[in-house]
Amino acid sequence: MVGIDERWFDDEHWYDDAAGRLVRPYTVSNGRTEPSTRLELLSMVVATGRQPHGQLGPDHAQALVLCGAFTTVAEVAARLRLPAVVTKILLSDLVGWGAVDTRSPDPLADSSNPAVLETILDALQRRL
C-alpha cells in the first residue's frame, strides 16, 4: 500500500460524540460542489500504488486507504461518513493525482433495482 499515515484513519481525531464530525463537509471539499471526474455511486475505485504529489489531507488519506482493494464510491462514502458528492470530489482528486483508478459500474448493476440496493446496504452494514 502507498505510504499512508494510518493515524489519519483514526476517527477519534475527527469526531466528537456531542458535536459529530469536527470538520464540515464543505471544508473537506474546499467549497467545491462538483467532482472533476464523473463517478457514480456504483463506480469501482482502487488505489494504483502511486504516491500522489504533495501532502495528502486526512480525508484524502482515509479515502486512499479505503481504496486498497476494489470498492464502490458508495462504500467509501459510508466508511468516511461523508455525503456522496463530497466523497466523489475527494476520489476525483485522487484520480487526477494518479493515486486511484476507476471503473464504470456494471451495466447490470442498475442503481434503481431494489435487489441491487439491498445488496449494497447489506454489504455496508457488515463493514460498519
Side-chain angles (χ1 to χ4, degrees), residues 30-114:
N30 290 323
R32 295 174 291 163
T33 59
E34 298 274 334
S36 56
T37 302
R38 180 168 157 55
L39 295 168
E40 298 179 33
L41 286 176
L42 297 179
S43 294
M44 300 298 290
V45 291
V46 67
T48 62
R50 285 182 250 147
Q51 183 68 34
H53 299 292
Q55 182 68 26
L56 286 180
D59 294 293
H60 284 98
Q62 284 182 323
L64 188 55
V65 167
L66 292 170
C67 293
F70 274 104
T71 189
T72 63
V73 171
E75 186 167 345
V76 174
R79 298 283 309 275
L80 291 176
R81 299 179 189 168
L82 285 171
V85 70
V86 175
T87 302
K88 288 178 182 182
I89 291 168
L90 291 173
L91 291 171
S92 69
D93 289 345
L94 292 169
V95 168
W97 298 333
V100 168
D101 277 337
T102 66
R103 287 197 184 150
S104 296
D106 185 337
L108 298 176
D110 177 11
S111 62
S112 63
N113 180 336

